[in-house]
Amino acid sequence: MTEPVHHEPITLEEIERARARIEGVALRTPLVRFAIEVPDTEIYLKLEVLQPVGSFKIRGAGSLIGSLSDEELANGVWTASAGNMAQAVAWFARRGGFPCTAVVPDTAPEAKISAVERLGGAVIPVTFDRWLEVFASRTFPGLDGTFVHPFSDRRVMAGNGTIGLEILEDLSEVDSVIIPYGGGGLSCGIASAIRARAPATRVYAAEVASAAPLAPSLSAGVPVEVAYTPTFVDGIGAPRVLPEMFELARTLLDGSLVVEPDAAADAVRLLATRAYVVAEGAGAVSVAAATAGLAGPGKIVAIVSGGSIDASRLATILTGSG
């Protein structure tokens, strides 16, 4: 039986060590003003879509993998991922010459699966429910290398926390930061950095209404299960939050902002046509929340977390044909 996991907020020392491990690998992504009018609001985009693998996941993967010994790497690494962490882990595996396997849900889009295989990673598709189980068990039959947890690992969250440091260095007067919430590693990593350096800054998760367990869990004060409806927003959302991540999230976050799938699609379209940025649905929910004014007035940073979207899906959204 897996021992219960508990996380305290990530320390600045941990985040700075992660920053050193990923230096020269992960990009310091730009923070750009979004040319859109929202009353009493300035929206800035943190463009993690520009990372080598198209998402923020390279930070957490690099932080964890960079902490491993040569002996540990020789046994290979594996992860459970809807696609973006799998791509990041496969990217490092190809670069370092060690084996990599990704357990993926059978709902993962072809663009993400193809990217993992192109990078040399082996892919094991499983049902969505079986995939969710791996996050808690941290085991999978036949996989004996180091498990790179996509969110519930201090090294991964520390890597994500480097985004928070960069935001404060580039926009010290930021009022609110909105972060897509999947498993919570991105939100809690960034929030740990911001709480330590700028405690008055509000930090919000962003979820899609078709799979939004965090918002009702925060309201109830305990993790609750919600209905899960698959949509094109495939990189975030689940029926439930992992208990240890819920405890950390309610310590660090000011709340969760929930948007409809159609609003996420509108944000994908808006990013493409007004900022010339390609984002996947999960990467655009923060922008949907910001443009709807859900984080209030002021200087708002929206994390555009990833850009892995099937070309056919993107075309459908851009043409408004579905």
Side-chain angles (χ1 to χ4, degrees):
M1 188 179 206
T2 304
E3 290 293 323
V5 177
H6 173 75
H7 294 300
E8 295 293 334
I10 311 304
T11 66
L12 281 176
E13 291 76 14
E14 289 174 285
I15 296 170
E16 290 290 3
R17 287 198 297 270
R19 190 182 224 179
R21 286 195 293 269
I22 66 176
E23 186 176 6
V25 179
L27 300 178
R28 182 189 178 102
T29 54
L31 184 67
V32 300
R33 177 79 182 271
F34 193 18
I36 186 170
E37 296 299 323
V38 177
D40 303 315
T41 302
E42 296 177 10
I43 298 175
Y44 295 82
L45 307 174
K46 183 61 170 169
L47 296 176
E48 288 296 296
V49 296
L50 299 180
Q51 293 290 358
V53 294
S55 84
F56 75 97
K57 292 289 190 179
I58 198 167
R59 295 180 187 257
S63 174
L64 191 155
I65 291 171
S67 73
L68 301 178
S69 67
D70 291 342
E71 290 75 15
E72 289 171 311
L73 291 174
N75 293 325
V77 295
W78 68 282
T79 190
S81 165
N84 284 338
M85 179 59 96
Q87 289 180 63
V89 172
W91 190 88
F92 281 103
R94 185 178 71 169
R95 188 170 180 262
F98 49 86
C100 162
T101 302
V103 178
V104 304
D106 52 18
T107 54
E110 182 58 34
K112 293 182 179 180
I113 299 303
S114 297
V116 175
E117 293 175 333
R118 187 171 62 249
L119 289 166
V123 173
I124 302 176
V126 297
T127 65
F128 185 80
D129 288 340
R130 178 68 182 92
W131 176 70
L132 287 179
E133 291 172 5
V134 178
F135 298 141
S137 71
R138 301 174 183 245
T139 62
F140 193 84
L143 298 181
D144 300 320
T146 299
F147 178 47
V148 181
H149 201 296
F151 51 89
S152 182
D153 184 282
R154 297 190 69 82
R155 292 161 294 181
V156 169
M157 287 188 276
N160 298 337
T162 61
I163 297 172
L165 297 183
E166 292 174 12
I167 290 170
L168 295 175
E169 289 162 0
D170 292 345
L171 188 69
S172 60
E173 66 274 26
V174 58
D175 294 297
S176 298
V177 179
I178 309 175
I179 310 159
Y181 190 95
L186 179 61
S187 299
C188 293
I190 293 174
S192 291
I194 291 175
R195 288 283 172 256
R197 285 271 174 91
T201 299
R202 299 182 299 273
V203 185
Y204 297 102
E207 300 181 275
V208 64
S210 53
L214 181 62
S217 296
L218 291 174
S219 295
V222 294
V224 299
E225 189 153 337
V226 299
Y228 172 80
T229 304
T231 69
F232 85 100
V233 185
D234 56 84
I236 60 173
R240 67 194 75 88
V241 294
L242 210 58
E244 71 263 22
M245 297 308 297
F246 168 72
E247 293 300 330
L248 189 56
R250 73 172 178 170
T251 298
L252 291 169
L253 302 179
D254 290 291
S256 181
L257 312 176
V258 181
V259 301
E260 295 293 331
D262 285 349
D266 290 342
V268 169
R269 186 181 308 111
L270 200 60
L271 284 166
T273 58
R274 297 286 289 273
Y276 311 103
V277 168
V278 173
E280 62 186 279
V285 293
S286 57
V287 177
T291 55
L294 300 184
K299 295 184 177 181
I300 312 296
V301 170
I303 310 297
V304 186
S305 56
S308 293
I309 185 170
D310 283 342
S312 59
R313 170 62 65 182
L314 179 61
T316 296
I317 291 173
L318 293 179
T319 58
S321 56

